[in-house]
Amino acid sequence: MRLLYVEDNEKLALNTAASLRRNGFAVDGVATAADALHAAKTYDYDAIVLDLGLPDDDGLSVLNEIKAINTDTPVIICTARDALEDRVTGLNAGSDDYLVKPFDVAELVARIKAVLRRPGGALGLTLTAGNVRFDTRDRAVEVDGHTARLARRETDLLELFMRRKGRVVSRDAIENALYGFDASPTPNAIEVATHRLRRKLDEMGATVGIHTLRGIGYMLEDVAR
Amino acid sequence: MKPLSALFGPPRSLRRKLVINVALAVLFCMALATFVLLREFREHLKENLLASLVHEAGEVAGIIDPDAPDYGLTTASMRFSDPDGKYRYTLFDAQGAALAGGETAPAIAAQIREAPEAEPSMIVLSQGRLGMAVPVELDGQTFHVLASTALAEPSGNSVADLLHEFGEEFHWVLLGILSIIVAAVLATHRSLRPLTAVSRQAHDIGPDTLDRRLATDGLPAEILPLVTAVNGALDRIDQGYRVLRDFSSNVSHEVRTPLAVLRSTIDRIEDATLRASLTEDIGRLDQMFEQLIDLARADALSPATFRAVRLHDLAVDLASEMAGPAVRDGKTLAVTGATQGVAMGHAGLLTIALGNLVRNALTYSPAGTSIEIEVMAQPAGWRVLDRGPGVDDGQKMALFERFNRGAGPAPKAPGSGIGLAIVKSVADAHGAHVSIEDRAGGGSIFGFRFNR
């Protein structure tokens, strides 16, 4: 798993790259927009972590150029919070995810893993959350080593939740992922599917559970057993 | 009185002053013209009178016969004396002795004696009346014929007539005065109208819009220097402010970077206990620093940067961000209420304000409880409802002061004590209102309400 890490602060780059390597990634670090573009053209990275505050160019135009070179490469943007407010539209358009500085490396690692597992990435992967394993190649689900019998929609739903573990998945996101843009589900189809999936996970003794956040969405998170 | 002040402008306004001054000037001109006219008129009347007296005295002189009784003058006739028996004509010899008729007195006699023998002269009679004495040369003897005015003052009547005439035509004069005033008001109104636009432009100039300037198009030449000078002042303020803003943006960048480096270094520490403790410390430092920047930004916020903000979407986005940590703490979030509310504002700072209210509620709420964000459309705003310990009445508004943390059961709660002060600053910048109420069944309700 090879990453391009674009950050102009030498010491920060050194530390973060070291932490990423410890988490099993191969990391190429560059400090300027020009180097970042050159690297992105030279090698097909699995993911790119891009700091927007670069000395030689605006980070958003770098993002656009990277996306022009290779649409499939996931890009995670790192930016200061007040810069973020002005750029939310740009980020939503171009990047796969963004992180607000300052962040913990653990959070960065989690985000990188999440974007790597997206369908855009060609790699077959096994997702894990607690004692639940999800094989993206044959879409098989295991809870605590036992095969779970899930309907197709429940499987899709679980994949969506596992890719965004610890973060809110909105009803809109579920609708788009499960039903696409043309076919709209019956009013409570999502509730029903979520309810069934939650019950099956509970019955099989999963250490993760689905939380309902009224008016906001759903979230997969560890549960104390 | 409303329409009157619409025409004449409010007290101390340029328009009102102009109207008053123009009205006074017009009235003064009218009075002056009347006075001059009256004086000319009286002068004219007097000249006419004296000329007719000379004429009459000449006629009388023509019928004098020194040999006839009473010098040929019928002194008893109506023409010779008026109905009250006063003599209109009197004949004097050169020494001032009255020969016929009775208008005489020592003062008159003295004036007759002094009168020249070749031309008529004016004689002042009793009671301010006038007369004209005309010298006549008959048989080598000099006589003076005095024609006197009647007792009544004829010119007074004529002046009264004139004034009466003037009064009848006065509405035309009034029309003239009114048209002058209306012209003056219109002229001021039209030349001051560009000022309204300039005021509006000035209203929109704030720290975020310091590059704007007041338009000078169509301004009266007298006001142009003021506006130009204000624009010049704005240039200088803009320049100074830019230096300051660059400074604070540089400072925030300069401080953030070492904080981020420090954090990344801490992430590499092998000792998990030490790492967790240091991470917590640096988190607090980050939060404090970010909040100070928030506070400075909220204080400098200008309405010119406001856009329509969908209150429900903002609440859901915020709640999605905050739900992860909340759930891991055993608490849950909910967004309820209206989905339609819209308010004008700065989305970034409103997110920070609502986020601070939610973070505050999460901090003070026990595990197992839910924090609810209720979106309100009429009036627009949010309410954050918690099941925390509640706030003492005496503490309620003091909580929104800077560096004031609520006393109570959570003394070790994280936070710098400016989270709610930021909420207050953001609310003030939006003309919004913050409130704390007790919640039925325990807990608090923090409100953030936009004014209409």
Side-chain angles (χ1 to χ4, degrees), chain B residues 103-173:
Chain B
E103 181 80 58
T104 186
I108 297 174
Q111 288 182 69
I112 294 289
R113 274 199 298 279
E114 299 290 317
E117 291 181 9
E119 56 190 52
S121 60
M122 195 173 75
I123 307 294
V124 178
L125 306 176
S126 61
Q127 293 163 314
R129 290 178 305 132
L130 293 176
M132 287 303 285
V134 174
V136 192
E137 186 78 33
L138 276 178
D139 303 344
Q141 212 181 341
T142 302
F143 299 95
H144 290 277
V145 177
L146 170 66
S148 16
T149 54
L151 201 59
E153 177 84 304
S155 61
N157 272 335
S158 306
V159 170
D161 283 351
L162 187 72
L163 282 177
H164 180 69
E165 202 62 22
F166 184 75
E168 277 185 346
E169 303 300 324
F170 188 70
H171 55 276
W172 291 111
V173 175

Side-chain angles (χ1 to χ4, degrees), chain B residues 345-357:
Chain B
H346 187 287
L349 284 170
L350 287 173
T351 305
I352 287 167
L354 183 60
N356 284 352
L357 288 181

Side-chain angles (χ1 to χ4, degrees), chain B residues 125-395:
Chain B
L125 306 176
S126 61
Q127 293 163 314
R129 290 178 305 132
L130 293 176
M132 287 303 285
V134 174
V136 192
E137 186 78 33
L138 276 178
D139 303 344
Q141 212 181 341
T142 302
F143 299 95
H144 290 277
V145 177
L146 170 66
S148 16
T149 54
L151 201 59
E153 177 84 304
S155 61
N157 272 335
S158 306
V159 170
D161 283 351
L162 187 72
L163 282 177
H164 180 69
E165 202 62 22
F166 184 75
E168 277 185 346
E169 303 300 324
F170 188 70
H171 55 276
W172 291 111
V173 175
L174 208 64
L175 195 68
I177 295 178
L178 274 181
S179 61
I180 289 173
I181 288 180
V182 167
V185 166
L186 281 183
T188 31
H189 182 71
R190 289 188 54 173
S191 41
L192 292 184
R193 198 160 42 191
L195 281 188
T196 320
V198 170
S199 312
R200 217 176 300 122
Q201 293 159 9
H203 182 78
D204 284 345
I205 294 180
D208 291 334
T209 50
L210 263 182
D211 53 329
R212 294 193 195 173
R213 292 294 174 269
L214 306 174
T216 50
D217 311 334
L219 280 183
E222 293 84 350
I223 292 167
L224 193 60
L226 173 67
V227 175
T228 314
V230 168
N231 279 342
L234 283 174
D235 283 341
R236 294 187 289 280
I237 292 172
D238 187 17
Q239 203 181 3
Y241 183 75
R242 259 173 223 285
V243 171
L244 252 181
R245 194 178 42 191
D246 288 350
F247 175 75
S248 68
S249 123
N250 286 342
V251 162
S252 66
H253 184 253
E254 291 308 315
V255 176
R256 269 192 194 119
T257 308
L259 278 177
V261 171
L262 190 55
R263 184 182 277 268
S264 69
T265 312
I266 292 170
D267 277 330
R268 295 182 68 182
I269 293 176
E270 300 290 338
D271 181 342
T273 324
L274 180 64
R275 191 173 64 225
S277 153
L278 287 177
T279 301
E280 197 186 316
D281 287 346
I282 199 163
R284 209 167 288 155
L285 199 58
D286 276 336
Q287 191 197 357
M288 176 93 184
F289 177 69
E290 294 296 329
Q291 284 189 325
L292 284 173
I293 289 177
D294 292 344
L295 196 58
R297 289 173 65 215
D299 286 346
L301 193 56
S302 147
T305 60
F306 287 1
R307 303 275 178 276
V309 175
R310 298 170 60 89
L311 304 184
H312 177 260
D313 292 358
L314 189 149
V316 170
D317 288 349
L318 177 79
S320 302
E321 290 287 326
M322 300 185 75
V327 168
R328 285 188 278 281
D329 268 0
K331 300 159 194 175
T332 179
L333 283 180
V335 175
T336 62
T339 53
Q340 302 301 327
V342 171
M344 292 303 291
H346 187 287
L349 284 170
L350 287 173
T351 305
I352 287 167
L354 183 60
N356 284 352
L357 288 181
V358 175
R359 196 168 296 114
N360 189 65
L362 282 169
T363 303
Y364 288 92
S365 292
T369 62
S370 173
I371 284 88
E372 183 181 335
I373 306 171
E374 186 189 349
V375 184
M376 297 179 297
Q378 280 290 346
W382 300 282
R383 300 204 306 165
V384 176
L385 300 89
D386 67 47
R387 288 291 180 202
V391 182
D392 292 341
D393 283 345
Q395 272 281 324

